Amino acid sequence: MKQRIITALILAPLVILGIFFLPLPWFILALGVVTLLGFWEWTQFVNDSSRYVALLPAVVVGGASFLLISPWTESLSQITGIHYVVLALGTLWWLYSSFLAITFPRSRRWWESSNPARHLFGLLTLLPFFWSVIFLRAEGIEGDFFHGAKLVMFVCFIVWAADSGAYFTGKSLGKHKMAPAVSPNKTIEGLIGGVIAAMVVGWLFADWFAIEFSSLGAMFITILLTVVISVLGDLVESMFKRVSGIKDSSNIIPGHGGILDRVDSLTAAFPVFALLYFLF
């Protein structure tokens, strides 16, 4: 626990400073490194001859995505059709993967023996996450450099609030399991507590960060859907780790495990939030 706290005290300020103060090209590079590390951890879920071979599809497809989506500031700040396609693919993936997690272990026979499916699942988990964070960070950047940073932090805050609210509510009131075969500690009561905590935190930070939604109702619906998917996203990674016999995705972060262990909820939350935010 001591190592976990020390690591958090060091990394959290660095992450926040990076989100707010890194120029967009450097922010893209930093997030790209984090995403590549996530793909490296994902190679444990794929049964290839080596982890380097398993990493190749992610490198090729990830590189190709830069040909489809221009990484320049003026292009990223204008949300177009291809941007919506990426966000919609990410959202649809998390809806489908959530179904797989909830119906586990019955669902494992549909994908467990398919290596192409495992590769595809990794791409759909991490690439929409990467681009959705970039889209939000670039939003309005030419007029207000910090506006996009506030959007990124807003998503982080509501997800962290939901995780904390779900933990404490589930521990004290939880009775009905969400997906006992995947994660026996997650309960429906915890999910409800997490949603309420996220609503309160989201309402406060939307006002503080001056984040505008079309209406109060649109804001709460966006938070609700983002948080529910984020909680299910945590279940999805737990499902893959359980099938692969892995406890932590790696030990790259002392006391916290791997990249995927830390961003599992966020990988699901960002595409969903970004799609709803830009649509409504």
Side-chain angles (χ1 to χ4, degrees), residues 40 43-57 115 119:
W40 174 252
T43 59
Q44 298 172 97
F45 304 148
V46 180
N47 299 316
D48 272 324
S49 57
S50 77
R51 292 183 69 179
Y52 294 102
V53 172
L55 187 64
L56 280 177
N115 236 22
H119 277 294

Side-chain angles (χ1 to χ4, degrees), residues 4-141:
R4 186 182 181 93
I5 294 172
I6 292 173
T7 301
L9 290 175
I10 295 172
L11 284 183
L14 291 176
V15 170
I16 294 172
L17 286 172
I19 290 172
F20 275 92
F21 295 106
L22 277 179
L24 188 59
W26 286 101
F27 180 79
I28 294 173
L29 178 61
L31 186 62
V33 170
V34 171
T35 305
L36 185 60
L37 289 173
F39 274 123
W40 174 252
E41 293 177 355
W42 192 275
T43 59
Q44 298 172 97
F45 304 148
V46 180
N47 299 316
D48 272 324
S49 57
S50 77
R51 292 183 69 179
Y52 294 102
V53 172
L55 187 64
L56 280 177
V59 173
V60 172
V61 177
S65 71
F66 279 87
L67 300 177
L68 293 174
I69 305 171
S70 172
W72 305 112
T73 301
E74 58 273 13
S75 300
L76 290 172
S77 60
Q78 300 294 323
I79 301 300
T80 61
I82 187 62
H83 301 87
Y84 282 114
V85 168
V86 171
L87 297 177
L89 280 174
T91 300
L92 290 173
W93 156 243
W94 285 110
L95 291 173
Y96 176 67
S97 63
S98 297
F99 169 75
L100 293 180
I102 292 172
T103 58
F104 186 84
R106 295 192 307 275
S107 64
R108 68 185 294 173
R109 67 178 184 272
W110 303 338
W111 56 269
E112 183 178 10
S113 60
S114 174
N115 236 22
R118 294 190 183 212
H119 277 294
L120 180 62
F121 292 172
L123 291 169
L124 291 172
T125 295
L126 288 165
L127 271 187
F129 161 71
F130 170 80
W131 283 114
S132 60
V133 176
I134 300 302
F135 297 159
L136 288 172
R137 181 62 188 90
E139 168 69 5
I141 195 170

Side-chain angles (χ1 to χ4, degrees), residues 196-217:
I196 294 172
M199 293 284 191
V200 173
V201 169
W203 176 65
L204 292 173
F205 276 93
D207 181 62
W208 186 24
F209 285 168
I211 296 174
E212 295 183 0
F213 293 86
S214 59
S215 67
L216 193 62

